[in-house]
Amino acid sequence: MALSSLTDMYAGLPTPPYVVIHTFAGVSAVDLQLDTPYEFEQWCTALTVPVEAIDLLTHSGTSWLAAVAVFQGVTVKLSGHGIAVTPGLEAAAAGRSGGASE
């Protein structure tokens, strides 16, 4: 129901190419994986994710942005891909998140 409400309320936002719904121990979550940082930013703005709650993650030469929001009581995990990896970016991510993640 939350996913349906998300798509209705934010119909003008970019459609996530990957949507994953999972339930563990009776708790549901929705993952929205977006192709670009711009699309990620639009969703974060709509879901009022504070900038300080956004992480830059790197793993095996790839980088992405990650954030968590709550919509209608359901956890929404956002990821924004399409970030070019540079040595400076990897160093910044390692310093901020303690290294590789996921």
Side-chain angles (χ1 to χ4, degrees):
M1 184 179 248
L3 180 59
S4 179
S5 293
L6 270 172
T7 56
D8 288 345
M9 281 184 69
Y10 302 115
L13 293 179
T15 303
Y18 299 101
V19 177
V20 179
I21 301 170
H22 44 108
T23 302
F24 181 73
V27 178
S28 296
V30 175
D31 288 352
L32 303 179
Q33 300 174 20
L34 302 144
D35 282 336
T36 69
Y38 176 72
E39 293 170 355
F40 174 84
E41 180 181 10
Q42 288 183 300
W43 276 97
C44 282
T45 299
L47 295 173
T48 62
V49 174
V51 172
E52 58 273 4
I54 297 171
D55 289 317
L56 173 63
L57 304 173
T58 63
H59 181 71
S60 298
T62 61
S63 297
W64 64 96
L65 298 166
V68 176
V70 176
F71 179 80
Q72 295 183 351
V74 175
T75 298
V76 178
K77 298 177 181 180
L78 301 163
S79 61
H81 301 269
I83 299 172
V85 179
T86 64
L89 184 60
E90 278 192 291
R96 182 161 181 200
S97 66
S101 177
E102 283 191 30

